[in-house]
Amino acid sequence: MLKTFYDGRETRKPADREVGLMAALPRIIHHAKSQSVGFGRVLVDVDPKAITSREALASLPVTRKSDLIDAHAKEPPFAGLNATPVPALARIFQSPGPIYDPQGKGDDWWRMGRAFFAAGFRPGDIVHNCLSYHLTPGGFIFDSGARACGCVVIPAGVGQSEAQVKAISDLKPTGYCGTPSFLKILIEKAEELGAEISSIKRALVSGEALPETLRDWFADRGIAMLQCYASADLGLIAYESDAKNGMIVAEDIILEIVRPGTGDPVAEGEVGEVVVTSLNMDYPLIRFATGDLSAIASEQSPCGRTNDRIKGWMGRADQTTKVKGMFVHPQQIAEIIKRHDAITKARLVVTRESDNDVMTLLCEGADAGHIDAIGETLASVCKLRGIVESAATGSLPNDGKVIDDKRPL
C-alpha cells in the first residue's frame, strides 16, 4: 500500500476533523444565508450560530439536485445558490437538463488532487484525460486534480478513438482518467490497429459503475484502476485508496446519509441518500441531496486515512413511479411512516396483475391491528388504494429502496 498521503489532514484523529467541521459549519451557513439569494430564502428562519452539530444540521431543509432544472429555468443561471457573483467566477458549465454549474477562481477548485494522489499519480506523470471539456465540467475537474499532483495533462476529451490511440502511442502517458468503458474502447482499438499503448499503468475513473470483473480485465493488462465519486456541483465527494474497501469521504465536506424522500439521517450502515454540505465559499451548498444511494461503512480504511468511508454508489434515490396514472413519491411513503409510530420501516412494492397496477405497502413493526388504519393513510396520502401487509422485523432489504417497482418493462 502507499505509505504517503496527499497532506496531513487525511490522517487526523477523527475527533479533531469533526471539531474542525463543526466549527466551520455556522460560518458557511452564515455565508450562504447572507451572500446567496437562493439560500437566503431557504435559511431565512435559521440562526447560523445555532448550527454547530450534525443534529442541528439535520434540522435544516435539503436542497435536491432533482429540483435544479426547474429552479435554474426560473432564476438562471444558478437559482441564486451561488455566493460569488457571476462576473467574479472563472467558468460556467452546462450539464444535461440543463443544469448550470459555476467554477470559482483558484487551483483545484473541485478538490480532486487527493483522489489522484491516492490512485498513485505523482509529479511528472503524463495523464491522458478522457472526460469532456465541452460545456460540461468533467474534463476540467479531472484536469485540475491531476495538475494539483504535479502531472502533465493531455486534454483528450471523448471520441476520436483512432486519434487518441495515436496520441497515446506517441506521447506514452503513464496514466488515464475518464470512464472505464472508454479506456476499454481505446485498448480494443489499439489492439485492432496494432498500436502500442502499454505505457498506461494506472487509471482514475468515475462517471459509471466499475464492476470487479472489469477492474480485473484492466489488471490483466497491467493497469491499476481506482475510482472516485464526484459531481459538477460538489466536486470530490469520496475516493478509493489502494485498500479498495469502499470510498473515503473527501475533506471539506460534511456527508450525511438520509432516508430517501426525507432529510432524516439513517442509522450507520443503513442505505440511504447521500446529502452533502460543502464548505465552498463560491457555491456553498447546504444539505445538497445528490439523488445517489450509499451507506457509511464501519471502521476506518486500513490505508491509514481516517475519514469516514462510504460503500460506493448503490443506485438512485429518486424512486418516483407512476401507478394507475398517478405519481407516487418516496416522500409520501415517509409521510405514512411518520403518521404511524408502529412502523419501523416500510417499502411500497408495485406489481402488475392481469394488466392492473397493484401496490402493496410492506410494514415492519406493524401488526394486524394497525393494517386498516395504515391502509386509510396510504389512500389519503397517495390518492390511491393499496394493500398493506405486515413484514417481519429485519426482513426488508437494506438497499435504500422505499419504492420497489417490479412491473415488467
Side-chain angles (χ1 to χ4, degrees):
M1 290 185 182
L2 294 172
K3 299 300 182 182
T4 55
F5 303 95
Y6 185 70
D7 58 30
R9 304 172 71 209
E10 293 183 343
T11 56
R12 286 180 292 174
K13 293 180 180 178
D16 292 343
R17 178 181 292 106
E18 188 71 3
V19 167
L21 289 173
M22 292 306 106
L25 184 54
R27 295 196 295 268
I28 198 68
I29 291 174
H30 171 77
H31 181 72
K33 181 177 179 178
S34 61
Q35 301 301 315
S36 159
V37 173
F39 279 112
R41 292 190 293 264
V42 172
L43 304 171
V44 62
D45 296 322
V46 174
D47 177 7
K49 294 191 295 295
I51 311 301
T52 58
S53 67
R54 289 181 180 264
E55 293 75 18
L57 179 63
S59 70
L60 303 184
V62 296
T63 296
R64 299 196 174 279
K65 184 166 186 172
S66 57
D67 294 333
L68 288 189
I69 295 174
D70 289 341
H72 284 191
K74 292 175 182 176
E75 192 176 357
F78 311 119
L81 299 181
N82 52 303
T84 295
V86 171
L89 294 171
R91 294 186 178 95
I92 297 175
F93 298 100
Q94 183 193 76
S95 297
I99 294 174
Y100 294 98
D101 298 298
Q103 178 192 352
K105 296 175 181 177
D107 296 333
D108 199 17
W109 188 79
W110 292 277
R111 312 176 322 281
M112 283 293 298
R114 67 183 68 252
F116 276 87
F117 190 92
F121 291 83
R122 295 295 184 269
D125 283 343
I126 300 175
V127 182
H128 197 77
N129 181 12
C130 286
L131 286 185
S132 175
Y133 285 79
H134 177 65
L135 276 182
T136 58
F140 289 93
I141 293 173
F142 270 33
D143 190 298
S144 66
R147 288 187 297 105
C149 287
C151 300
V152 179
V153 178
I154 303 170
V158 295
Q160 303 183 80
S161 57
E162 287 194 22
Q164 296 220 29
V165 167
K166 172 64 172 169
I168 296 170
S169 179
D170 289 345
L171 300 175
K172 295 180 171 46
T174 52
Y176 166 92
C177 57
T179 62
S181 61
F182 192 66
L183 179 56
K184 188 170 188 288
I185 288 171
L186 292 179
I187 291 172
E188 291 171 342
K189 176 59 70 172
E191 292 172 350
E192 175 189 326
L193 298 173
E196 175 59 57
I197 64 170
S198 61
S199 63
I200 295 177
K201 299 299 183 184
R202 64 185 63 86
L204 178 67
V205 299
S206 190
E208 58 190 30
L210 178 62
E212 286 304 312
T213 52
L214 184 56
R215 197 192 317 244
D216 291 342
W217 188 90
F218 288 111
D220 290 342
R221 287 153 179 81
I223 300 172
M225 178 173 286
L226 296 182
Q227 58 186 326
C228 65
Y229 171 31
S231 73
D233 19 59
L234 293 164
L236 182 65
I237 299 171
Y239 60 99
E240 279 190 314
S241 71
D242 57 343
K244 298 179 187 173
N245 61 339
M247 291 189 177
I248 300 159
V249 175
E251 304 293 332
D252 298 316
I253 65 170
I254 300 170
L255 186 144
E256 304 170 86
I257 305 292
V258 308
R259 186 164 291 106
T262 78
D264 303 330
V266 301
E268 183 175 318
E270 186 174 340
V271 178
E273 183 174 11
V274 176
V275 170
V276 174
T277 295
S278 171
L279 305 183
N280 185 314
M281 300 296 282
D282 296 310
Y283 202 40
L285 296 175
I286 308 299
R287 299 205 84 202
F288 188 73
T290 63
D292 296 322
L293 292 175
S294 193
I296 296 293
S298 60
E299 302 179 351
Q300 294 175 3
S301 172
C303 73
R305 294 171 177 84
T306 58
N307 209 346
D308 289 339
R309 293 181 300 119
I310 59 173
K311 295 181 180 180
W313 186 82
M314 302 176 71
R316 292 293 295 167
D318 186 5
Q319 299 154 28
T320 297
T321 192
K322 186 177 280 188
V323 181
K324 298 179 181 178
M326 296 282 288
F327 282 108
V328 181
H329 305 275
Q331 50 264 47
Q332 291 174 304
I333 308 308
E335 177 63 25
I336 295 168
I337 295 171
K338 285 182 178 179
R339 293 189 188 185
H340 295 273
D341 292 339
I343 303 175
T344 56
K345 188 176 183 179
R347 173 182 298 219
L348 186 74
V349 179
V350 183
T351 55
R352 181 170 289 132
E353 298 178 9
S354 301
D355 294 324
N356 293 314
D357 292 337
V358 177
M359 61 182 200
T360 303
L361 186 65
L362 304 177
C363 301
E364 290 188 11
D367 57 32
H370 301 110
I371 297 300
D372 289 345
I374 296 172
E376 290 301 316
T377 303
L378 174 65
S380 173
V381 171
C382 296
K383 312 302 180 189
L384 292 165
R385 288 283 173 183
I387 302 165
V388 177
E389 295 181 358
S390 297
T393 299
S395 64
L396 297 181
N398 178 25
D399 57 8
K401 284 189 178 180
V402 176
I403 298 175
D404 187 5
D405 192 341
K406 293 187 173 182
R407 292 171 293 183
L409 297 175

